[in-house]
Amino acid sequence: MDRFSNGQEQLEDEEDSLALEIAEEDANMEIHPPIVSSYNDHIRPLLDAVDKLRLLNVAKEGIQLPTIVVVGDQSSGKSSVLESLAGINLPRGLGICTRVPLVMTEHHPTPIPELFLEFNGKTVHTDEAYVADAINLATNEIAGDGKGISNTPLTLVVKKSGVPDLTMIDLPGITRVPVHGQPENIYEQIAGIIMEYIRPEESIILNVLSATVDFSTCESIRMSQQVDKNGKRTLAVVTKSDKAPEGLLEKVTADDVNIGLGYVCVRNRIGDESYEEARKEEAKLFNTHPLLSRINKSMVGIPVLAQKLTQIQASIIARCLPGIVRKIDEKLNASILELNRIPKTLSSSAEAMTAFMGIFGSAKETLRKILIRGDELHNCRESDPRRNFLMEEIHVLQESRGIELPNFLPRSAFLTILKAKVEGISSVPVNFIEKVWNYIENVLVSVLTRHSENYHQLHLSTRRAGHNLISKMKEQSISWVTEIVQMEKVTDYTCNPEYMSEWKKLMDKENTFRNILENRMSKGVIEGIGEVEVGNLSAYNQNVLHEAFDLKMRVTAYWNIVLRRLVDSVALHFQFSVQNLVNKKMENEIFSELISSHGGAIERMLEESPSVAVKREKLNKSIKLLGESMKVLGNIMDRIATYDN
């Protein structure tokens, strides 16, 4: 990019030189037909480069090009100004003459005059006598017959001696009231096109104003001020100066509407005047008219306008070109990188199988990172054991009394309380199973989607297979955990030594419990249980209270074993299920789905999705366009680097 940096320095030096020359010539500018800029040798290569980029339609890649945009209210005299600059006749008539953006690019010098139009991918040659008709025919092809408008541009290339090296875009004249045949929203359509073209900072706005109106009331001024409030990129050309000379000097010098690049007053060509005759009459008008002759000569005449536009154009191109080079280079690299991320098109069964195995290898590796925890089961809540302490145990013991040895707790009492506690949390493991499998389903489908998104058929099949597989495994898990919970309800067993040690530790707190009762306290704190309510226990004898306390501590110690057993079982179940899912069942299910859907044709499974095919085509076109643009800019930046300051 060194040559681009050097080119930018050269362009900035040239821009400063042009600005100085503008100031010197503005002080005392003479009119020398034909209208040819003295900067053609330097400007033409820059302009050609920008024109080539415009023809390549680099704007669709988001690259804004430096442009002179011509705007004005309907009947402001836009066509007359452009005709005078190009020396050719443009379409005239009632209503909107310009129905599409007309890109006019003028070339001088040229050994053989040439006129041609470029639109819709084709080139149509014409001549000066028929150019207006050719433009009308091309406009009708683009925008249709009638009075509608279109945002599709039409390019007119003018190669002839005596014209300035300029490229301008003429936009439809602004009208608020639709006439017969125009759409009701004609103003909104025109305003939308104009704002699209004048909004970019790279655009120079050539605002065509009629001397016969108050500038502040012009719709074109209002629009340009929306995007260029201080007028730093707006130049005004005042037409019909001979029709309203009174006060014109004051209007263009007071500048009540912020025209930062200044004003140029011109006289419209009248009747059958030749362009040479029109320039002579214009010069005579501004030299001899008692009011118009007072306007500074650097602000009057088509030649002055041509000179200003040429200089402004060179300046804006010089300022923008290095940035355009950088943006195109960045977008080109980004497009190449994005294209490389898309898998190449598969051309054989071997390539398809390799891609298929790669997809599942990546998906497996991602899924192995799934972590499942059983913390939720540890948080199972039962009714608060500290309220009405021992009342449930006493009630169950009374109901369980039968013929039995003394000092033996009835096993049925233990099982009754245990069953109630298990039933209290029985929905928690099931809900947890469903919650975890829903999470795994989301992860599985998301992973499969991401790894198969470039292959439409495979993408659809893997999603179906993923949903079906999770549905089966979820049903199996719910059935399994329901059976585990049912076993905990109907039987009590553990060989875990912590049960006895925990029970003994809790029984050691019985003396604390007795002290609370003896002191006739309604509440007390028992270590390992917390604060308990004992006010209702004074009516029971010591033997009943001892048995109830013993039963409570046995259930408490065993309940901790039950919870840990449930948590461990569910955690192990999920670890095993996920391993089985990733290593075996997922692949089997997807293979089964693919074979049943496509008859085993792996090539059809891995057909590129329409969206990926469109994306690939779009990126290839973008890379081609940006590459051609870089060649254009590389050539011009090399040439700029050789210019003398």
Side-chain angles (χ1 to χ4, degrees), residues 113-295:
E114 187 178 7
L115 282 171
F116 58 89
L117 298 169
E118 294 177 326
F119 61 99
N120 291 347
K122 61 184 178 182
T123 300
V124 175
H125 289 268
T126 184
D127 56 37
E128 292 190 35
Y130 298 102
V131 64
D133 292 336
I135 291 174
N136 281 331
L137 290 172
T139 298
N140 289 339
E141 184 171 330
I142 294 171
D145 296 334
K147 298 181 180 180
I149 64 173
S150 170
N151 200 15
T152 302
L154 165 65
T155 298
L156 170 63
V157 179
V158 181
K159 294 184 177 181
K160 60 183 292 188
S161 298
V163 298
D165 277 310
L166 285 173
T167 294
M168 298 174 290
I169 300 180
D170 182 28
L171 299 179
I174 304 167
T175 180
R176 279 196 170 275
V177 181
V179 299
H180 180 69
Q182 290 179 340
E184 289 297 318
N185 65 339
I186 187 67
Y187 170 77
E188 288 75 15
Q189 289 186 33
I190 293 174
I193 293 174
I194 290 174
M195 295 304 289
E196 178 182 337
Y197 276 90
I198 68 175
R199 184 175 287 110
E201 287 293 323
E202 295 83 359
S203 295
I204 295 296
I205 305 169
L206 179 59
N207 211 319
V208 181
L209 309 170
S210 172
T212 61
V213 301
D214 181 354
F215 296 165
S216 63
T217 65
C218 293
E219 188 67 18
S220 61
I221 286 291
R222 190 188 69 81
M223 287 186 181
S224 63
Q225 286 180 339
Q226 289 182 36
V227 297
D228 185 29
K229 187 175 182 180
N230 298 322
K232 64 180 181 179
R233 53 188 180 91
T234 301
L235 172 69
V237 54
V238 183
T239 63
K240 307 178 184 179
S241 300
D242 53 328
K243 304 295 183 182
E246 293 81 8
L248 183 56
L249 173 61
E250 290 73 22
K251 289 168 75 173
V252 298
T253 53
D255 187 23
D256 294 331
V257 291
N258 292 333
I259 304 296
L261 296 177
Y263 295 81
V264 178
C265 302
V266 300
R267 170 189 176 273
N268 294 57
R269 188 166 65 95
I270 299 174
D272 295 330
E273 287 179 343
S274 69
Y275 293 104
E276 187 66 25
E277 291 170 344
R279 284 201 300 274
K280 289 179 180 178
E281 290 298 321
E282 181 183 63
K284 180 180 177 181
L285 174 69
F286 287 110
N287 280 325
T288 62
H289 192 281
L291 296 177
L292 299 179
S293 62
R294 296 167 55 193
I295 302 176

